[in-house]
Amino acid sequence: KSFLSFLETFGRLYQNKLKHITVLSQAIAGGLQKMSDANADVNTMKADLATKNLELQSAAADAEVLLASITVSTAQAETEKARVAVIVTAVTEKAQEIAAVKEDAER
């Protein structure tokens, strides 16, 4: 009877340990699946990031070209502004001379 009792106790202990190990195994399998999913997500994000970096480089190059164009246009506008200022100064002086001649003529 003692040996049968021992076998029965051993069987229950074995069943309890088997259930515990099965639960742990399922938890580990679930964790590994989540890690695998996260790894796939990270790889997808890396690919997206590479694409976005290429787009960013293209946009930066376009911005540099636009900035260079704006710089050239600004320089041309400043040159034209200086040229117009010289003309305005000359016309103003001429107008003052004409006004002085007119004033002398009216006297």
Side-chain angles (χ1 to χ4, degrees), residues 35-47:
M35 287 177 67
S36 176
D37 293 345
N39 188 31
D41 290 344
V42 166
N43 288 335
T44 301
M45 287 181 206
K46 283 181 181 178

Side-chain angles (χ1 to χ4, degrees), residues 5-83:
S5 175
F6 171 74
L7 285 178
E8 185 181 311
T9 303
F10 179 77
R12 277 187 270 132
L13 181 63
Y14 177 78
Q15 289 297 322
N16 287 338
K17 289 292 181 180
L18 182 62
K19 286 179 187 177
H20 179 68
I21 289 172
T22 303
V23 168
L24 290 177
S25 174
Q26 290 172 350
I28 289 172
L32 289 174
Q33 182 61 43
K34 286 181 182 180
M35 287 177 67
S36 176
D37 293 345
N39 188 31
D41 290 344
V42 166
N43 288 335
T44 301
M45 287 181 206
K46 283 181 181 178
D48 290 345
L49 180 62
T51 302
K52 295 294 182 187
N53 278 336
L54 291 176
E55 291 174 6
L56 181 61
Q57 289 174 353
S58 175
D62 291 346
E64 287 294 326
V65 169
L66 183 60
L67 181 61
S69 173
I70 290 171
T71 302
V72 168
S73 296
T74 302
Q76 290 173 347
E78 288 296 324
T79 302
E80 186 67 21
K81 179 181 172 183
R83 195 173 67 93

